Amino acid sequence: MFHRSTIRSLFVAVLGSILIPATARAAHPCPADLDCSGSVNIDDLTAVILGWGSCNPSPCAGDTNGDNQVNIDDLTSVILSWGQCTFQYQADFPNAEAEQIGLEFLGSTGPLLLPQSTYDRIVRDLSLIRAAYPDLADQTHTPAWAPNQLIVSVTQSLSHENYQCLKTYYQVTDESLLFSFGGTDYYVITFAGHVNVVRLASIFAEAPEISSADPNSLVGGENFWVPSLLISGSWRWSIDDGFFDCFDGCDCHKQYVIDIDTPGNVTLVDYQQFGQPWCDFGGGK
């Protein structure tokens, strides 16, 4: 009896480079996983065989690329994608603060996962800044949002096929109903790992049945460390060291703007203190 990997290898050898790039269906991040089970297997192969031919009306079960045909392209897509088909999260980074700052830095058009080089740069810069300005040594960044959750609103009257596929592919480990209103269910969904949830929200929002998808933002907070890129490899850090009544955004602020170049030279660009009359700034930076 042939092992599945052996069968796949034989098909690949026969088909060679026939594979035509597939256009993923709406919110189907793994087109060859036709039943959204999290793996491409015999069930998906069977769907292609049984659905062979034209799709009228479309879509049909075996059409992996949305061309309204079930043919050799779909068969090849299934064979070459054989096995597990879910998003692969990276292990959590040792420095949780640097990881969070890095994920927030990536933005809505950035990658889902934090590049190692970006994380390493943030770890280095944080260390350099705190060495130069000891008052910031224990002023850690307040996360803008949870790095493993989204809040999504799902229209009750529409098919949830795309939503279910997304949950499977991105490995949702928990789905909690917040409330229902006006024919829409609002959920907090939790993922198996940390990710750039701002970018992930835009992916979920593409599904027709999802009317909105947003990070699970955190209310309040005290300190905010926000990096941005400058020319020639320099990074600019905007740091808000806030204190007193920080639930509403803090009444007292020490704000730093600091540039760090590639070799690690730290330059203070601007420093301001402001807030309410009761603020005690301690007379230093």
Side-chain angles (χ1 to χ4, degrees):
M1 180 179 293
F2 285 111
H3 191 273
R4 283 181 175 178
S5 61
T6 303
I7 295 174
R8 178 184 181 275
S9 298
L10 288 172
F11 270 111
V12 171
V14 172
L15 293 169
S17 59
I18 296 176
L19 182 63
I20 298 173
T23 301
R25 293 172 293 167
H28 281 242
C30 182
D33 182 13
L34 293 162
D35 59 359
C36 295
S37 66
S39 64
V40 180
N41 52 32
I42 192 65
D43 296 329
D44 304 297
L45 185 61
T46 301
V48 170
I49 295 171
L50 294 181
W52 200 269
S54 298
C55 296
N56 190 16
S58 64
C60 55
D63 184 10
T64 65
N65 59 8
D67 66 354
N68 299 330
Q69 297 282 334
V70 180
N71 52 29
I72 190 64
D73 298 334
D74 305 296
L75 179 63
T76 305
S77 177
V78 167
I79 293 167
L80 295 184
S81 303
W82 200 268
Q84 183 182 1
C85 199
T86 54
F87 186 77
Q88 299 303 300
Y89 292 92
Q90 59 199 154
D92 293 344
F93 288 96
N95 187 323
E97 180 192 28
E99 178 186 33
Q100 180 70 34
I101 292 172
L103 289 172
E104 293 176 16
F105 169 73
L106 297 177
S108 60
T109 60
L112 286 171
L113 298 178
L114 178 62
Q116 181 70 45
S117 59
T118 303
Y119 168 80
D120 291 340
R121 176 62 183 259
I122 291 172
V123 170
R124 188 204 71 161
D125 283 10
L126 292 178
S127 177
L128 290 171
I129 291 170
R130 285 168 173 150
Y133 301 96
D135 284 352
L136 293 173
D138 59 353
Q139 302 303 314
T140 56
H141 174 68
T142 300
W145 32 253
N148 64 338
Q149 290 185 328
L150 286 179
I151 298 176
V152 296
S153 57
V154 186
T155 304
Q156 296 171 352
S157 60
L158 298 178
S159 168
H160 291 181
E161 177 190 357
N162 297 292
Y163 177 49
Q164 297 301 330
C165 284
L166 287 166
K167 288 196 299 178
T168 298
Y169 182 76
Y170 289 106
Q171 301 183 58
V172 168
T173 59
D174 183 73
E175 179 185 51
S176 299
L177 180 65
L178 284 175
F179 60 91
S180 299
F181 178 78
T184 301
D185 294 325
Y186 293 80
Y187 297 97
V188 175
I189 55 176
T190 303
F191 301 94
H194 293 176
V195 69
N196 174 10
V197 292
V198 175
R199 174 72 181 100
L200 188 57
S202 67
I203 295 173
F204 268 73
E206 293 176 0
E209 63 268 38
I210 298 179
S211 53
S212 66
D214 299 285
N216 188 7
S217 300
L218 305 181
V219 178
E222 181 172 342
N223 307 306
F224 302 96
W225 296 63
V226 181
S228 57
L229 291 177
L230 301 177
I231 60 174
S232 303
S234 293
W235 285 41
R236 171 159 293 179
W237 286 84
S238 298
I239 304 166
D240 185 347
D241 174 10
F243 54 99
F244 295 149
D245 196 16
C246 288
F247 183 81
D248 67 2
C250 298
D251 294 326
C252 308
H253 298 266
K254 299 176 182 178
Q255 290 192 339
Y256 300 74
V257 178
I258 297 172
D259 287 355
I260 304 183
D261 61 15
T262 301
N265 297 303
V266 179
T267 302
L268 181 65
V269 177
D270 188 44
Y271 175 76
Q272 298 183 38
Q273 299 175 339
F274 62 92
Q276 302 299 325
W278 54 78
C279 296
D280 179 9
F281 293 105
K285 298 177 184 177

